[in-house]
Amino acid sequence: MESIIYVGMDVHKDTYSLCSFNADRNLLFSQTQMKSTTGNVVRYLKKVSEMNNDALTLCGYEAGPTGFGLCRELQKLGFACVIIAPSSIAKTAKDKAVKTDRSDAQLLAKTLAFHSFKEVVLPSENIEAIKDIIRLRSSANKTCKRAKQNLLSFLLSHGFSYSDGKHWTVKFTSWLKTIHFASEYLTFCFEEYLSEVTRQIQRLSLLDKKLKELEDDKEISDGVKKLKCICGIDTVTAVSLVAETGDFNRFSAARHFANYTGLCPGRHSSGLSNKGTGITKQGNNYLRRLLIEAAKSVKRSASHGHKSKRILARQEGASSEVINYADKAAARIRMKMYHLERRGLHCNKAATAGARELACFAWGMMTGHIA
């Protein structure tokens, strides 16, 4: 068999630290640090291969803020490169006590050699761009909520409190126009807070329109249309599920996808003691939050057999198998949450259980397991 040299790369904005490992000889060698350019890495990999009788090289680095650009460029040039999930790297007490770029590169090289890691699935450039828009929308939503809260806190501190219904309705907006301050400084503050809220609402509306346009992207349109047939899943959640997950078929069972979202309960076992814990909260926390919100939406929806106009519009044009599966999902999730709350479980825990069911149904919809 042709020998393989494993190259661990500790990747940063300005520098790359590389280390090679020969598993047959259990030898770490060619430790170096270079400027962060793909050309430097290519020259290093070619030199290491030549030094070891044209051996194959497998390089890898942790997923992080530098993104997937280096991996894509190396793959285009014909080099084998993988991105390692940080949570799958086993670290000893020594690794935690002494952390340098040099030691990190050594650890990554050995992790590659022992195959003790989980590979991050590399999305296409189009899917990555869609994910960036989704995350931009999520960030804008948080900023908008913060701006609204700042305005309400300012009004409350000066004796203005709205108690005639919900905030941010037409009636609430009319009430804001009636507020006046004797001090010109307070008037200036109020106008600035209000203008920031207005600007953030407009920004969020613009991003929602952009997400609506993304529904027609050829790479995700079929999956989005199917997922939107399920009660509780609208444009934002459907686009996020498809873009963030990528290929649903990489999960061999529904429970594996639920575990990817961190919605499965953990386990604590020691000796004769064996008890369950809360959900693991591992994996994609953004999808986990969206699924929990969607489950709560299912609970608030009409009972089984009575569909809203929005659901009917989303299911228009879908096959009868997809519609029946979507209706089955809504009925099961709603019933599960109802029974759990009747047994005394907190509504948030019941919603988490419903979200786990929803994740499993979403996996079934996307992989064709809708029998």
Side-chain angles (χ1 to χ4, degrees):
M1 291 179 64
E2 194 168 5
S3 62
I4 301 176
I5 303 300
Y6 301 93
V7 181
M9 302 187 293
D10 190 43
V11 175
H12 295 283
K13 180 183 70 173
D14 300 316
T15 61
Y16 294 159
S17 293
L18 277 67
C19 179
S20 297
F21 180 66
N22 188 323
D24 296 332
R25 299 165 57 192
N26 192 26
L27 175 66
L28 289 165
F29 62 98
S30 297
Q31 185 100 31
T32 186
Q33 188 176 75
M34 60 186 66
K35 288 187 177 180
S36 55
T37 64
T38 305
N40 287 337
V41 176
V42 170
R43 284 189 287 273
Y44 175 90
L45 293 175
K46 287 181 178 179
K47 188 66 176 178
V48 166
S49 179
E50 291 173 4
M51 289 169 53
N52 293 272
N53 300 320
D54 294 328
L56 298 176
T57 57
L58 172 62
C59 58
Y61 61 95
E62 285 185 80
T66 54
F68 305 135
L70 175 61
C71 183
R72 286 199 180 97
E73 290 174 2
L74 289 174
Q75 289 180 355
K76 287 178 183 178
L77 293 171
F79 294 96
C81 182
V82 297
I83 298 178
I84 303 170
S87 59
S88 66
I89 300 175
K91 295 183 179 180
T92 64
K94 180 182 177 181
D95 296 325
K96 295 177 181 178
V98 180
K99 184 187 183 305
T100 63
D101 293 348
R102 179 186 179 90
S103 62
D104 285 347
Q106 292 175 356
L107 178 61
L108 289 170
K110 290 183 178 180
T111 299
L112 286 169
F114 301 146
H115 304 284
S116 58
F117 65 93
K118 289 184 179 179
E119 183 179 351
V120 174
V121 177
L122 191 65
S124 67
E125 294 185 26
N126 182 52
I127 290 294
E128 189 174 6
I130 293 173
K131 285 171 66 175
D132 285 334
I133 293 178
I134 292 168
R135 292 175 182 182
L136 175 61
R137 196 265 178 194
S138 176
S139 175
N141 190 36
K142 292 178 182 177
T143 305
C144 185
K145 287 181 178 178
R146 191 178 300 114
K148 289 178 178 180
Q149 186 58 47
N150 288 339
L151 174 60
L152 293 175
S153 299
F154 170 76
L155 291 175
L156 182 61
S157 66
H158 293 283
F160 293 97
S161 178
Y162 184 74
S163 58
D164 196 18
K166 293 184 178 180
H167 295 145
W168 313 113
T169 60
V170 174
K171 192 174 181 181
F172 174 75
T173 305
S174 300
W175 174 77
L176 287 176
K177 295 177 181 179
T178 65
I179 296 176
H180 298 285
F181 294 93
S183 170
E184 63 175 305
Y185 304 130
L186 293 179
T187 301
F188 174 78
C189 290
F190 173 64
E191 290 175 351
E192 284 297 310
Y193 278 124
L194 186 58
S195 64
E196 177 65 12
V197 170
T198 304
R199 190 177 74 84
Q200 293 301 331
I201 290 175
Q202 291 173 347
R203 181 190 178 204
L204 194 59
S205 176
L206 179 65
L207 289 170
D208 284 338
K209 289 179 181 178
K210 192 63 180 178
L211 282 179
K212 290 290 285 184
E213 294 176 13
L214 291 177
E215 287 185 78
D216 298 326
D217 187 277
K218 62 181 181 180
E219 207 166 344
I220 66 171
S221 59
D222 290 341
V224 169
K225 289 176 182 176
K226 288 180 180 179
L227 288 174
K228 284 180 65 176
C229 292
I230 303 177
C231 179
I233 297 181
D234 208 341
T235 302
V236 174
T237 306
V239 173
S240 300
L241 278 168
V242 176
E244 291 280 348
T245 306
D247 184 12
F248 279 80
N249 288 299
R250 62 193 175 100
F251 302 101
S252 58
R255 67 179 183 276
H256 296 156
F257 175 64
N259 193 45
Y260 167 72
T261 62
L263 288 167
C264 289
R267 205 79 187 153
H268 186 276
S269 178
S270 178
L272 298 178
S273 173
N274 187 10
K275 61 181 181 180
T277 64
I279 59 173
T280 60
K281 295 184 179 179
Q282 295 180 345
N284 196 311
N285 60 348
Y286 176 60
L287 288 186
R288 181 168 63 253
R289 180 171 58 81
L290 285 180
L291 288 167
I292 292 173
E293 290 176 356
K296 292 180 179 179
S297 178
V298 173
K299 177 187 171 183
R300 293 191 298 267
S301 64
S303 60
H304 181 64
H306 297 82
K307 298 181 184 178
S308 66
K309 291 182 180 180
R310 291 179 64 188
I311 292 292
L312 291 172
R314 298 208 301 257
Q315 292 182 347
E316 187 177 357
S319 65
S320 58
E321 291 84 359
V322 168
I323 293 174
N324 291 336
Y325 183 77
D327 293 344
K328 176 184 173 183
R332 180 184 173 95
I333 293 166
R334 192 180 297 112
M335 189 62 66
K336 185 179 185 69
M337 294 174 66
Y338 171 76
H339 284 309
L340 289 174
E341 290 184 20
R342 282 288 301 270
R343 286 166 46 190
L345 198 68
H346 192 276
C347 60
N348 286 339
K349 291 185 178 180
T352 303
R356 184 165 57 251
E357 291 286 328
L358 182 57
C360 293
F361 275 105
W363 175 87
M365 183 72 82
M366 294 299 294
T367 56
H369 292 78
I370 58 176

